Amino acid sequence: MARRYDTRTTIFSPEGRLYQVEYAMEAIGHAGTCLGILAEDGVLLAAERKNINKLLDDVIFSEKIYKLDENIACSVAGITSDANVLTNYLRQAAQRYKQIYQESIPCEQLVMQLCDVKQQYTQFGGLRPFGVSILYMGWDPHYGFQLYQSDPSGNYGGWRATCIGNNHQAAVSMLKQEYGEPPKLKEALDLAVRVLYKTLDSTKLTSEKVEMATLTRVEKDGKTRTVIRVLPAKEVDSLIAEYHKVEEARKLEKAKQEKEREAAEAAEADKTS
């Protein structure tokens, strides 16, 4: 039945579904994992690098995280060529706003503008939806630190923590369990490493496979400004090493408790006998 209605984005199926839009979302499910966490003193984006060929030139430091404006950055999951088109549109929209109003565009307004474009590509014939979902982190004086997600249908929403891409359901489930009140940025970084370590398909997590970026507010020369920073490989490796140290200590503690429990059970058995 689906084959009769999936040739165009403008045709609804009898169940009220747009199959081409659903197929675009399915493509994102096979892309590299991207997660975002809203912290008390900043925002964090972490993304899985799919292409880690050693022959690649190192000129492009960041593969999955793009700076859009002084106060906004994003991470993408999906078709990279589509993502390049959309990130260029976002940058131009931010610069047009700044040229007209002499201030940075509010984060949600920029997200909304792009989602209007995405929605048009699901409504008019001869077009296909963009096969990319985007996580945005930003700050503006209206709402402070913010985290948004948009998908190929043109829908968007604000989040405290979310994930897109491969194994996103397992990551979101883990975030639901471990994310309570907005943590400090350092705690958010540790949480991101834990989630990525348990949800990525790779057996070993390294800085070659993951890139991370933070957005914070820093006071300098009496002025507070936004700082968007992609973490260098050394810092990412340090976070991963710290995670391994904590996990090793937890395993040792668990083994110790197990031995104490077995000893207690043996002593109890001797008393009864």
Side-chain angles (χ1 to χ4, degrees):
M1 178 66 76
R3 291 296 176 191
R4 296 172 55 188
Y5 303 100
D6 68 352
T7 55
R8 297 183 184 177
T9 58
T10 54
I11 299 177
F12 282 96
S13 74
E15 296 86 16
R17 298 163 66 179
L18 291 171
Y19 284 106
Q20 286 295 326
V21 177
E22 293 184 15
Y23 295 159
M25 294 183 181
E26 187 66 25
I28 293 159
H30 300 292
T33 306
C34 298
L35 69 86
I37 300 175
L38 185 65
E40 185 181 326
D41 51 346
V43 196
L44 158 72
L45 290 179
E48 175 191 8
R49 283 178 177 166
K50 280 287 189 179
N51 198 347
I52 55 173
N53 195 315
K54 292 184 178 180
L55 297 178
L56 281 171
D57 195 346
D58 292 333
V59 172
I60 300 176
F61 180 67
S62 179
E63 175 191 332
K64 301 269 289 184
I65 297 173
Y66 302 80
K67 183 177 179 179
L68 305 175
D69 190 20
E70 291 177 357
N71 297 318
I72 307 171
C74 73
S75 180
V76 299
I79 302 172
T80 306
S81 54
D82 285 5
N84 290 335
V85 172
L86 294 181
T87 52
N88 284 338
Y89 175 87
L90 287 164
R91 286 167 174 164
Q92 290 170 6
Q95 290 305 309
R96 281 196 299 268
Y97 186 96
K98 192 164 190 176
Q99 187 177 23
I100 294 170
Y101 299 106
Q102 301 301 309
E103 65 180 19
S104 296
I105 187 170
C107 188
E108 186 175 3
Q109 187 170 334
L110 184 61
V111 176
M112 193 184 303
Q113 280 191 31
L114 181 67
C115 287
D116 289 343
V117 174
K118 282 186 172 184
Q119 191 276 333
Q120 291 173 13
Y121 276 72
T122 69
Q123 191 169 8
F124 298 107
L127 305 174
R128 72 159 175 82
F130 289 100
V132 60
S133 277
I134 305 178
L135 291 181
Y136 312 80
M137 65 175 178
W139 179 92
D140 62 48
H142 308 287
Y143 297 107
F145 295 112
Q146 297 157 70
L147 175 67
Y148 293 96
Q149 174 195 341
S150 69
D151 59 41
S153 67
N155 285 325
Y156 77 93
W159 294 80
R160 293 190 296 169
T162 189
C163 181
I164 55 176
N166 191 29
N167 293 332
H168 68 278
Q169 292 177 336
V172 169
S173 176
M174 190 172 173
L175 287 169
K176 282 180 181 177
Q177 294 176 357
E178 301 208 17
Y179 187 97
E181 291 298 317
K184 294 292 184 181
L185 191 58
K186 178 62 174 69
E187 296 170 355
L189 286 165
D190 294 337
L191 175 58
V193 171
R194 286 202 305 275
V195 172
L196 288 172
Y197 200 92
K198 293 185 178 180
T199 55
L200 294 189
D201 291 332
S202 56
T203 55
K204 187 178 180 182
L205 193 65
T206 65
S207 58
E208 291 181 349
K209 299 176 183 177
V210 175
E211 59 184 84
M212 306 176 81
T214 60
L215 183 148
T216 55
R217 296 283 290 172
V218 176
E219 188 171 343
K220 188 176 181 180
D221 299 329
K223 293 182 179 180
T224 305
R225 62 186 182 91
T226 303
V227 175
I228 298 171
R229 180 171 170 267
V230 177
L231 272 62
K234 285 184 178 180
E235 286 192 35
V236 177
D237 283 331
S238 175
L239 288 167
I240 294 170
E242 189 175 331
Y243 165 78
H244 283 303
K245 192 182 293 183
V246 171
E247 279 295 297
E248 191 65 30
R250 187 183 64 81
K251 287 179 182 178
L252 290 173
E253 182 64 25
K254 188 175 180 181
K256 182 181 177 182
Q257 290 177 356
E258 186 67 22
K259 285 183 179 179
E260 290 176 352
R261 185 181 63 81
E262 290 175 357
E265 288 177 355
E268 188 67 26
D270 291 338
K271 286 181 181 179
T272 54
S273 61

